Amino acid sequence: MIKHPELWRRIETFDIDGGSRPDVPFAARLADENEWSRAFAERVILEYKRYVYLAMTQGRPVCPSDQVDEAWHLHLTYTRSYWGRFCKEALGRELHHEPTRGGADENGKHWQMYEATLAAYRAAFGTEP
């Protein structure tokens, strides 16, 4: 169940390309760089937006899937879109990407956090990720 509908509306409707259509749209670049179909890349972008909603509303760290992390990494390189518009306008604050420290302990923590993220996803969106 979406508990912050206005925030979700701003995230869901956010246009990563920002109306200034680049030569290679974000979804096309995401697909090309990961050897995905364009349709799969579009789905990953939706999942990325859902992840961001969870990151903004859970009150604790959440963990993205590998595919969502790829979308997030790419979006971070679109600095005007990510920092200038997405964080500032859609989210209303910064959302930083924090790498893990690596190692077995971090890996175990990562998987526990990911399982909690999946549960939060099901509760918020009423569907399987």
Side-chain angles (χ1 to χ4, degrees):
M1 177 174 146
I2 300 293
K3 294 183 179 180
H4 304 277
E6 180 55 27
L7 174 63
W8 173 239
R9 185 197 61 76
R10 290 192 314 267
I11 293 170
E12 184 180 34
T13 62
F14 181 78
D15 179 7
I16 291 175
D17 294 317
S20 64
R21 300 294 164 208
D23 292 339
V24 179
F26 183 85
R29 185 168 173 196
L30 184 64
D32 289 347
E33 289 186 6
N34 291 283
E35 298 180 357
W36 298 336
S37 70
R38 179 74 180 263
F40 186 79
E42 294 284 354
R43 176 58 196 252
V44 170
I45 292 168
L46 172 61
E47 295 298 324
Y48 164 60
K49 290 177 176 183
R50 288 177 174 182
Y51 167 78
V52 168
Y53 173 81
L54 295 174
M56 297 299 293
T57 61
Q58 288 302 295
R60 60 179 161 67
V62 292
C63 183
S65 68
D66 290 340
Q67 295 84 3
V68 166
D69 202 40
E70 289 296 327
W72 195 5
H73 286 190
L74 183 58
H75 196 193
L76 284 164
T77 69
Y78 285 59
T79 58
R80 286 181 181 84
S81 172
Y82 186 81
W83 295 109
R85 293 179 33 256
F86 192 52
C87 290
K88 188 175 185 180
E89 298 171 13
L91 305 182
R93 67 179 174 92
E94 294 178 347
L95 177 62
H96 291 276
H97 188 292
E98 302 291 339
T100 69
R101 288 181 239 159
D105 288 343
E106 281 291 301
N107 192 38
K109 185 173 108 180
H110 167 85
W111 282 109
Q112 288 176 340
M113 193 184 325
Y114 186 62
E115 288 299 322
T117 301
L118 294 177
Y121 181 106
R122 290 180 193 104
F125 299 104
T127 188
E128 288 296 314

